[in-house]
Amino acid sequence: SSLFAGTNGDSYDDTCDVLVLGSGPAGTAMASLLGVGGELDVVMADQNYESAWVPNYGVWKDEWQTVLDKYAEAGIKIEGGDAGNSIDREWEVTDCYFGGSFDIPVESRVRLDRPYCRVDRYALKETLSKNFRVVKANHFSEAIGVNMYKPAGSLVHDEDGTTIKLQPKDSDEPITMRAKIVIDTTGHETKLVMKDTRGQYSPPGFQIAYGAVLEVDESNSPDMSQVGPYAKEAMTLFDYRTDHFPTEGEVDRATKVPTFNYAMPLKDNTIFVEETSLVARPGVSFQECKDRLFTRLDHHGIKVTKVTEEEFCYIPMGGALPMRDQRILGVGGAAAMVHPSTGFHICRCLMGATDAAKAIKQELKSSDVNLDRAVASAYHALWSPENIRQRNFAVYGGEFLMKQNVVGLRGFFDGFFKIPLEMWGGFLAGWPGLAYNDAHETWYKRIWYGLNFIVKIPLPVAADMTSSILTYSLLEGIDLMQSVTPFFGEPYSYEYKRNTDRIGDTNAKEEALSMIKESKVTEEIPVALEEAITR
């Protein structure tokens, strides 16, 4: 690449403009966006690049459309899947079950007139796997400070780029890669992106889920439009009922440590179901989720004939954001982009990648390339001060949900879906550009949402929330109040700021130098002063 002019003839096994570590949705999106148009040489590094993506990604149809539109603007058409647009199944309505508390009948159903889709993960990977080269190798460095890594020499930054050693899958000898910018998309528990854990912050909670694609026996089904209680025409987002547990001890445990079922009727007698702990710290056991799922299915008379696929879902939520002034850009989980209250990620990640990629491309096109500024600009595109304020609001939401038993969660979500769609949809989006997010993008819109919401939830839940807001604000710092008021300033920006401390006041130094030269007493110019002027 022409961008590598000036590397002084150093020898590398490979060079590129941008090196992307990791080949999940975040990495593949970033690599494809940066490589579209052919202006940049982009390399993706992952020993397991050919492995299929595992999760069953669910998205709101209107949110997915905003992603499709954004990628089309960038020159990438997301296509494929049985329903097109990398979607393999669509439901026109979405169901929820919150019965069993606050006089809500157990069989009561909340139906949302908002379509939901299942992403065809194979089609999405294929449609995004363009515009870049692949090296089947992994990094083995680990950050020990900002822009400092071990083992020594395995990853080094300089003014013109980064030199990093990668371990190939089929060789004992590492290769040396030279890149202008390195992007880490290896997940929340990245080894390269330092998180800012200084000061007050909440450690991540964990969404744990056991899911399975099942074939079920429908030979004795009284209604072929249903799979047990779940309508085939609908996707079931939440089933928080606990009437399926046979013993008082199991009901007590499920009340204190709640999980819900998430169900996607697919085709004919096939259904994807997932027993999910929304967020907990520490995480709930996978085995407990699996046992609860099959207890639930058995109670509903759903006879499983075959398990064709299993999913073990582990999603860190919330936690600290990346530290400022890092040369490595984190995207996706590595930049803590998962929704801190819900675990939604795929739309947020894909949307955020477009802005980060745009910032990098703009900087690398400039006549005065500054790599620190390029990465800072990309971080700012992901986490502007206003986006951080919106995230802080959702972080509090995650902390509140984490402390609720199943009764509190039923009351919370029953009220949540009673407020206008743009309000609850905006909260679930939580990212600029996604559908309805404009209803949450300012402090006064968030406070308006809160006021509308708190009057819709049962009084005990509302009282608990009010108490929690006061306690959280007193004990956990200003983040929540900063997100819902015009006071307390803004979060610290990721925007690039040149460090001028080593330059100082040049006018004062030049004046001193001039006076020394004219002085009849001082004959020798201090070396430090002369060097400071010429620097």
Side-chain angles (χ1 to χ4, degrees), residues 245-294:
F245 290 107
T247 69
E248 186 176 329
E250 288 174 288
V251 172
D252 184 60
R253 169 69 180 169
T255 299
K256 294 176 180 176
V257 184
T259 59
F260 65 90
N261 190 28
Y262 172 99
M264 291 177 161
L266 299 176
K267 184 179 180 181
D268 300 327
N269 67 328
T270 304
I271 185 171
F272 173 73
V273 286
E274 191 165 56
E275 193 74 20
T276 305
S277 164
L278 181 61
V279 58
R281 186 190 303 125
V284 174
S285 155
F286 282 103
Q287 186 62 54
E288 184 167 13
C289 288
K290 181 177 181 178
D291 292 343
R292 289 186 182 187
L293 175 63
F294 284 99

Side-chain angles (χ1 to χ4, degrees), residues 508-510 512-514 516 525-534:
K509 290 185 289 185
E510 287 172 354
L513 183 62
S514 175
I516 290 171
I525 298 174
V527 173
L529 180 59
E530 192 167 35
E531 289 180 347
I533 295 297
T534 58

Side-chain angles (χ1 to χ4, degrees), residues 66-67 70-71 347-355 431-434:
T66 61
V67 173
K70 193 77 169 181
Y71 275 71
C347 288
R348 294 161 61 92
C349 171
L350 295 180
M351 187 65 81
T354 64
D355 296 323
W431 198 270
L434 293 181

Side-chain angles (χ1 to χ4, degrees), residues 61 83 87-92 115-118 233:
K61 183 180 179 180
I87 296 297
D88 71 0
R89 180 74 164 87
E90 179 182 325
W91 300 268
E92 287 301 316
Y116 201 83
C117 302
R118 181 184 188 231
E233 66 176 350

Side-chain angles (χ1 to χ4, degrees), residues 114-275:
R114 190 182 185 193
Y116 201 83
C117 302
R118 181 184 188 231
V119 174
D120 186 324
R121 59 188 188 270
Y122 304 103
L124 182 61
K125 181 174 182 179
E126 182 179 353
T127 202
L128 291 177
S129 294
K130 302 171 184 175
N131 311 321
F132 56 87
R133 298 186 287 124
V134 176
V135 173
K136 293 181 181 178
N138 288 353
H139 82 85
F140 51 87
S141 306
E142 182 176 348
I144 56 175
V146 175
N147 299 327
M148 299 174 61
Y149 311 90
K150 66 177 184 179
S154 64
L155 198 164
V156 179
H157 303 299
D158 57 53
E159 183 179 9
D160 297 317
T162 298
T163 303
I164 182 172
K165 293 186 182 295
L166 303 173
Q167 184 62 55
K169 186 172 185 176
D170 301 320
S171 173
D172 294 332
E173 291 297 319
I175 61 173
T176 302
M177 175 73 75
R178 179 72 177 175
K180 282 289 178 182
I181 291 176
V182 176
I183 300 175
D184 183 357
T185 67
T186 59
H188 192 281
E189 291 160 4
T190 164
K191 300 295 184 185
L192 295 183
V193 176
M194 296 286 290
K195 302 294 178 65
D196 195 351
T197 57
R198 299 169 298 178
Q200 290 179 309
Y201 85 104
S202 299
F206 301 92
Q207 184 169 116
I208 300 294
Y210 169 82
V213 176
L214 309 174
E215 292 180 7
V216 299
D217 181 2
E218 294 186 310
S219 57
N220 295 317
S221 175
D223 186 350
M224 296 299 288
S225 68
Q226 300 274 131
V227 181
Y230 307 121
K232 290 183 179 181
E233 66 176 350
M235 180 272 167
T236 297
L237 185 64
F238 290 113
D239 182 355
Y240 262 119
R241 296 173 294 186
T242 54
D243 60 315
H244 55 285
F245 290 107
T247 69
E248 186 176 329
E250 288 174 288
V251 172
D252 184 60
R253 169 69 180 169
T255 299
K256 294 176 180 176
V257 184
T259 59
F260 65 90
N261 190 28
Y262 172 99
M264 291 177 161
L266 299 176
K267 184 179 180 181
D268 300 327
N269 67 328
T270 304
I271 185 171
F272 173 73
V273 286
E274 191 165 56
E275 193 74 20

Side-chain angles (χ1 to χ4, degrees), residues 56-120:
N56 286 270
Y57 299 111
V59 296
W60 298 105
K61 183 180 179 180
D62 44 20
E63 274 193 15
W64 190 246
Q65 187 60 53
T66 61
V67 173
L68 298 175
D69 294 343
K70 193 77 169 181
Y71 275 71
E73 290 176 14
I76 297 174
K77 184 178 181 181
I78 295 177
E79 53 192 355
D82 290 344
N85 301 324
S86 288
I87 296 297
D88 71 0
R89 180 74 164 87
E90 179 182 325
W91 300 268
E92 287 301 316
V93 290
T94 304
D95 287 346
C96 302
Y97 296 89
F98 304 121
S101 302
F102 304 111
D103 298 322
I104 303 171
V106 170
E107 66 279 5
S108 177
R109 181 184 70 189
V110 175
R111 173 152 286 187
L112 309 172
D113 290 322
R114 190 182 185 193
Y116 201 83
C117 302
R118 181 184 188 231
V119 174
D120 186 324

